[in-house]
């Protein structure tokens, strides 16, 4: 059963959201997404970061240097927004831009040593935030939950 929202509870304390709504996976995922996004956004803001910063740094560490277009595809950040994200990361010394030797019109983005340290710090921040988000679940349930979500997303991404 889902914990009711404050707006779902009238003065008498009984939930007013119809049970058939509270049993729908799509609604539950939507409600959880809103809460998750808020938790992660606010938690990263306290660490002076944004989720897009984390996505770019993680991509660069895992796959190596890349063009802005490649980073956009890997992270799901629109190309038009990627410039702003990279400007912020560059200003903080977390990434470096260098001209692509094969195409001087294009930049290659590389994570810096400072960016690696920042990413490891943000990993810890996100671990703590995920502990809050998934608090009612055991470690085994958390792993299973992530596996199920991954399977669903993979299925619908391929479709």
């Amino acid at each position: 059963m889902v914990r009711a929202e404050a707006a779902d509870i009238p003065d008498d304390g009984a939930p007013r959201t119809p049970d058939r709504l509270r049993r729908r996976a799509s609604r539950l995922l939507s409600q959880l997404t809103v809460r998750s996004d808020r938790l992660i956004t606010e938690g990263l803001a306290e660490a002076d970061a944004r989720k897009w910063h984390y996505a770019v740094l993680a991509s660069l560490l895992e796959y190596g240097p890349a063009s802005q277009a490649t980073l956009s595809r890997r992270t799901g950040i629109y190309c038009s927004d990627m410039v702003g994200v990279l400007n912020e990361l560059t200003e903080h010394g977390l990434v470096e831009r260098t001209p692509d030797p094969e195409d001087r019109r294009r930049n290659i983005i590389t994570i810096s040593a400072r960016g690696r340290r920042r990413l490891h710090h943000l990993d810890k921040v996100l671990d703590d935030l995920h502990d809050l988000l998934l608090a009612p679940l055991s470690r085994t349930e958390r792993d299973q939950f992530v596996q199920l979500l991954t399977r669903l997303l993979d299925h619908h991404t391929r479709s």
Side-chain angles (χ1 to χ4, degrees):
M1 182 117 341
V2 180
R3 184 175 173 208
E5 298 176 18
D8 291 338
I9 302 174
D11 293 340
D12 64 5
R16 67 173 130 194
T17 301
D19 192 49
R20 67 176 11 110
L21 282 177
R22 297 185 326 141
R23 290 190 318 245
R24 296 287 177 195
S26 58
R27 185 171 191 276
L28 294 170
L29 286 168
S30 178
Q31 298 280 317
L32 187 59
T33 298
V34 168
R35 284 163 178 74
S36 173
D37 193 53
R38 184 180 312 129
L39 177 72
I40 298 304
T41 299
E42 290 173 1
L44 285 174
E46 287 179 22
D48 194 28
R50 296 187 307 138
K51 59 186 170 184
W52 298 128
H53 295 163
Y54 182 82
V56 168
L57 294 173
S59 176
L60 290 171
L61 186 66
E62 187 164 336
Y63 298 112
S67 68
Q68 292 176 193
T70 298
L71 282 172
S72 178
R73 284 189 300 277
R74 287 181 188 163
T75 61
I77 301 171
Y78 291 115
C79 286
S80 58
D81 295 332
M82 182 60 75
V83 174
V85 172
L86 292 175
N87 285 344
E88 292 170 1
L89 292 171
T90 301
E91 287 171 15
H92 290 95
L94 305 176
V95 300
E96 298 166 354
R97 285 182 175 137
T98 55
D100 184 339
E102 295 177 17
D103 183 351
R104 299 301 236 175
R105 296 169 295 172
R106 183 171 57 189
N107 286 317
I108 296 296
I109 313 304
T110 307
I111 190 170
S112 67
R114 186 174 184 178
R116 283 185 184 86
R117 289 189 303 274
R118 181 71 169 150
L119 179 60
H120 292 300
H121 171 72
L122 293 177
D123 280 333
K124 291 175 186 159
V125 169
L126 285 170
D127 287 346
D128 291 344
L129 293 169
H130 285 121
D131 283 344
L132 288 172
L133 179 68
L134 303 173
L137 304 178
S138 69
R139 174 60 49 205
T140 301
E141 289 171 324
R142 291 174 189 201
D143 292 342
Q144 183 180 26
F145 181 63
V146 170
Q147 289 171 358
L148 291 170
L149 288 174
T150 300
R151 195 163 96 200
L152 284 168
L153 184 58
D154 287 349
H155 169 80
H156 290 287
T157 302
R158 284 188 217 116
S159 299

